[in-house]
Amino acid sequence: MPFSFLLLVLAGLSVIAYRFGVSRARAVAPGRQAVLHSRPMYHGLYVAIWCGIPALLVAVAWVAMQPILVKGLVMGGLPDAYDALPKARLDLIWNDIRNLALGDVVRADPAPEIQAAAETFRRLYTIGNAALTVLCLIAAPLAARYAVRHVSIDLRARNRVEAAITVFLVASSLVAIFTTVGIVLSLLFESLRFFAKVPVLDFLFGLHWSPQTALRADQVGSSGSFGAVPLFSGTLLISLISMLVAVPVGLMSAIYMSEYAHRKFRAVAKPLLEVLAGIPTVVYGFFAALTVAPFIRRAGEAMGLSVASESALAAGLVMGVMIIPFVSSISDDVINAVPQAMRDGAYALGATKSETIRNVVVPAALPGIVGGVLLAVSRAIGETMIVVMAAGLSANLSFNPLDAVTTVTVQIVTLLTGDQEFDSAKTLAAFALGLVLFCVTLGLNVFALHVVRKYREQYE
Amino acid sequence: METAILRDTMHTLSDTHAPEGEAAPMTAKIEARQTNVHYGDKHALKDVSLDIREGEVTSFIGPSGCGKSTFLRCLNRMNDTIDGCRVSGTVMMDGEDIYDPKIDVVQLRARVGMVFQKPNPFPKSIYDNIAYGPRIHGLAANKDELDEIVLTSLEKAGLLAEVKDRMEAPGTGLSGGQQQRLCIARAIAVSPEVILMDEPCSALDPIATAKIEELIDELRENFTIVIVTHSMQQAARVSQRTAFFHLGELIEVGDTEQIFTNPKHKLTQGYITGRFG
């Protein structure tokens, strides 16, 4: 029986178990349900959980263990000559066996012992699946029967079901947490491998970035140099330019939207502004590369400046536009959250509208606004597509916005695209860069959330 | 039944208002005539004509939704900040129509201060809360003058002794009663002529309330005060004149003592004896 079908059957069994539980609960207290500790529904759920969950756990464990067991058995069954082979070779053979058994493409004419092994593989899998089905179909009703016998007037079925639901919810939230932990750990370990090849201090404080390494000893090529400071400075420069655009524009538009705009105008304009956030960044990227960058170049040349055709300015400006909705939307929310009583208090003292906003509303909303801006900063630092297309790849250590610069994210992309060896310093450098990026944005986010939360405590 | 009450109401209105002009020996600070307020389609205040006398405490009483707060907010044009609110009729202050387009609402509010139901100190220091009004109106030429204004305002509001050691602490950290006195001090700091109070004690405990009432009595020397209250005892304790509102209409206005001992209108009598409202 295929696994998905087995799950379906288990679900069906649980529904039946539910009915049994309900009727059993009604039977133990005929005509006077009030004496039951829990309502019959909870007894039904209690039995259903007993029916479904243990069988499901058995199935999941089986599916997790089966490949390991099968591999052990199949490889053990090969002639002794194979035992002496190196591990990499054995892995190749195992792949062959599996592909043969599953009907995938294999190398031409496999050896007879390989074919025999594939046959064993197939047989073991068939037996395993059958055993699993039988096991589940026995375990589920048995567990349900155990639970039904427990149904009594005093059974605290409601509390048990509530506890089971709590466990389920905890498990769901753990999925997200473990994913994060997994990502961090993989970044960390790959970075450690990189730092074994390149000293941490050279990476963090080196001024020259040129990640090309020679593949062979006789190859003409640089030995690679991994000073990431030009990347950090480029990232900083572009983020700075984008924040210079996004913060004033976003904040002003938020103030206009929340304090001055007519309700009807706001109803139209706010979603329009938020559309900016929905535009794919790759679209922003070619807008920056094909429209804004040439414009800036021409404008610069008209003024007698030399402008690189891929400039930090173009990427930063367009990224700033992209981030406007982050700043304006969050600022708008926190400005609206400032109690009307604050404004009334200022108006009643004879403050004008702009005085009220400048001296009372914005200061009251400031922590929230700062939080929004910090979230926008971490978005700017992590943004990739626009800078890949508009800012260029040359790692110049420059703070001139008219120069081409590159960022951490752009370098990660270029280091990992194309065919790469996964143990060269060049590739591993991407993980180290990723780790730095992660630490910076995590720090900013934590700080921003802390600021926002502090603000919330003040008014609720 | 209802029409009967209404007819009665109309009757009393014409009764009480005809003689008011002569009956008031003191000068009227604010004269409202035929004031109507609409919130969208809702007719919230109907033809209210009332004099607020200078140097007295006038209290507005009446059941919830009777229009007393609405009328109060007409006196410093706070209703302007509410969407869909229309005011008609005239409200004269010292002989000037405050709804005249030539009147600057900002200056008007500097002359008519307001204290709200819920204490609403700004999220700033105690000092800055008081200094805010004088700063925006340019009332102090230098830091010393500003300090002077802040200290006298706190002194008049009876808060100075409690806060003089922590002027830089946030105003929101004070207790409810202290916050309300801070708001009163904030209103006083602009040297208004009239102070409007919208249920200033409804969020406070009895001890804080007693302090505020005492304060209102002292402030009467320098300011004309209008107070909206749900507590009839409070109206009786602090005010010299009382106006009773019901369903958007002014039912009866008179000396506080007369209103509470010998009300002319049976709606007023019903309300003060607790038969309804």
Side-chain angles (χ1 to χ4, degrees), chain A residues 23 39 42 77 101 138 158 192 201 203 217 223 259 274 282 301 316 325 352 362-363 368 389 406 414 444:
Chain A
S23 50
R39 282 161 51 214
Y42 281 108
I138 292 173
R158 172 163 40 80
L192 287 179
L201 293 181
F203 172 73
S223 57
E259 298 288 320
E274 278 161 9
V282 67
E301 276 167 356
T352 63
V362 170
M389 296 171 81
T406 191
T414 46
L444 278 173

Side-chain angles (χ1 to χ4, degrees), chain A residues 147-158:
Chain A
V148 167
R149 294 178 74 130
H150 259 110
V151 170
S152 70
I153 290 174
D154 295 328
L155 178 68
R156 295 174 166 253
R158 172 163 40 80

Side-chain angles (χ1 to χ4, degrees), chain A residues 108-129:
Chain A
D109 44 273
E113 58 264 30
I114 301 288
Q115 284 190 359
E119 193 50 48
T120 322
F121 180 100
R122 243 192 315 252
R123 211 179 57 242
L124 283 174
Y125 255 87
T126 321
I127 295 172
N129 282 338

Side-chain angles (χ1 to χ4, degrees), chain B residues 35-57:
Chain B
T35 306
N36 280 278
V37 177
H38 293 260
Y39 292 121
D41 296 334
K42 192 172 170 267
H43 197 172
L45 200 64
K46 298 164 191 164
D47 280 336
V48 171
S49 299
L50 178 68
D51 287 358
I52 310 281
R53 293 183 191 165
E54 187 152 16
E56 278 191 351
V57 178

Side-chain angles (χ1 to χ4, degrees), chain A residues 263 341-342 344-352 355-356 359-360 363-364 458-459, chain B residues 78 81 83 106 109 112-114 116 120-124 132 136-137 186-187 190:
Chain A
R263 212 180 312 115
M342 290 287 130
D344 284 349
Y347 289 143
L349 287 173
T352 63
E355 281 167 347
T356 304
N359 299 332
V360 175
Q458 207 175 342
Y459 288 113
Chain B
M78 277 303 278
T81 61
D83 278 348
V106 164
R109 289 184 191 144
V112 184
M114 189 162 187
F116 296 84
N120 59 346
F122 301 133
K124 299 171 184 282
Y132 180 66
I136 58 175
H137 294 295
R186 188 173 71 183
V190 206

